[in-house]
Amino acid sequence: MTDTKKSAPAGGRQKLITGPGILLLWLYGVMVVGAVSRSAVQISTDFDKAPLAYSLSALAGLVYGFITYSLVRGGDTARKAALVCCAAELVGVLAVGTWTLAEPSAFPDATVWSDFGMGYLFIPVILPVTAIFWLVRARRTGR
Amino acid sequence: MLVALTIATAVAALALAAWCGFAAYRDQPTKDWHFIGMGVVTLLALVQLVVGIVQLARGEDPEQGTTIFVAYLLGSFACVPVAGFMSLAERTRWGSLTVAAGGVVLAVLQVRLYDIWGG
């Protein structure tokens, strides 16, 4: 572990996983494991049953993975990249959530983002909002 | 046997979540006692993992498939220790809250395990 302190000294990367950030990191980590392992099992066993749903789960897993990596890495570039991904994630959750409610027939099986992430205690919809707040705040206090 | 363990682990996980949540509420980091608590919960999850594998070896089949069952068993086992390590890196209330979240996640995993095994 590199020793970069909370208010990053010159040259050091700004840390994104101090304070509330550690909780975000944990929840994102859980979502990575959940989405990636779920889509891996589903795609390898019966992809034909619901190709759209399973592909979306895999995509969600990738987005979560990237955000998790950005949080661990820290620094301003990673923060911005994570911010973009969180926005994409939020759009994804809202779009897929609405889509699953409007046209259930397109989704014979659930995705991580079905019904706004209800199967995951709504964490998929709460998380990006919280993360965006955190990342925007990190810019204000970090520099 | 497995069902009893599942319930015990879920209850222990929720208790751990409440305990660490209380520590976070009082603005405290996780302390030695919390880590002993995490150890107990992890031990339960480990026993569950072993019992689950033994049941599989004896030819019993989980209702929703062996792969998913084993994946959830491994996930439950890893859940609390990982949160515990993260609370070591973050010695504030937020570390405690992370462990509390870990307890809640474990309880949810137990509910899913119960479904996967088939009651």
Side-chain angles (χ1 to χ4, degrees), chain B residues 14-105:
Chain B
L14 284 178
L16 180 72
W19 190 18
C20 291
F22 183 61
Y25 172 73
R26 295 209 300 177
D27 206 1
Q28 286 175 348
T30 45
K31 306 228 170 93
D32 286 355
W33 282 106
H34 294 114
F35 283 100
I36 292 172
M38 288 178 229
V40 171
V41 174
T42 306
L43 190 67
L44 277 171
L46 179 64
V47 172
Q48 188 186 37
L49 174 66
V50 172
V51 170
I53 289 172
V54 168
Q55 304 255 51
L56 285 179
R58 279 151 122 206
E60 290 185 58
D61 254 345
E63 206 168 73
Q64 296 178 25
T66 307
T67 318
I68 297 174
F69 180 63
V70 174
Y72 268 87
L73 281 177
L74 289 173
S76 330
F77 171 59
C79 182
V80 168
V82 172
F85 275 115
M86 289 172 71
S87 83
L88 278 178
E90 176 64 40
R91 306 299 300 152
T92 62
R93 68 192 306 178
W94 295 102
S96 306
L97 203 58
T98 303
V99 178
V104 174
V105 170

Side-chain angles (χ1 to χ4, degrees), chain A residues 6-141:
Chain A
K6 201 167 191 172
S7 52
R13 283 205 198 101
Q14 175 197 2
K15 252 191 146 182
L16 293 174
I17 51 170
T18 49
I22 196 90
L23 183 62
L24 275 180
L25 179 68
W26 164 249
L27 291 174
Y28 269 111
V30 171
M31 290 313 294
V32 171
V33 174
V36 170
S37 53
R38 174 186 185 140
S39 58
V41 167
Q42 289 176 329
I43 287 174
S44 61
T45 53
D46 51 356
F47 182 66
D48 295 334
K49 190 179 156 205
L52 179 63
Y54 298 160
S55 307
L56 278 171
S57 284
L59 179 71
L62 283 179
V63 175
Y64 288 133
F66 184 78
I67 297 173
T68 311
Y69 169 73
S70 301
L71 283 174
V72 173
R73 193 180 143 89
D76 205 47
T77 317
R79 188 186 63 78
K80 279 180 192 148
L83 206 50
V84 171
C85 280
C86 287
E89 183 199 341
L90 185 60
V91 170
V93 182
L94 294 179
V96 174
T98 315
W99 193 0
T100 47
L101 289 181
E103 205 186 324
S105 58
F107 295 88
D109 201 354
T111 78
V112 182
W113 288 345
S114 285
D115 305 334
F116 304 108
M118 198 164 75
Y120 291 82
L121 307 176
F122 290 110
I123 290 174
V125 73
I126 300 167
L127 209 48
V129 178
T130 325
I132 287 171
F133 270 113
W134 170 244
L135 290 169
V136 168
R137 215 182 70 105
R139 179 186 59 195
R140 284 204 214 101
T141 55

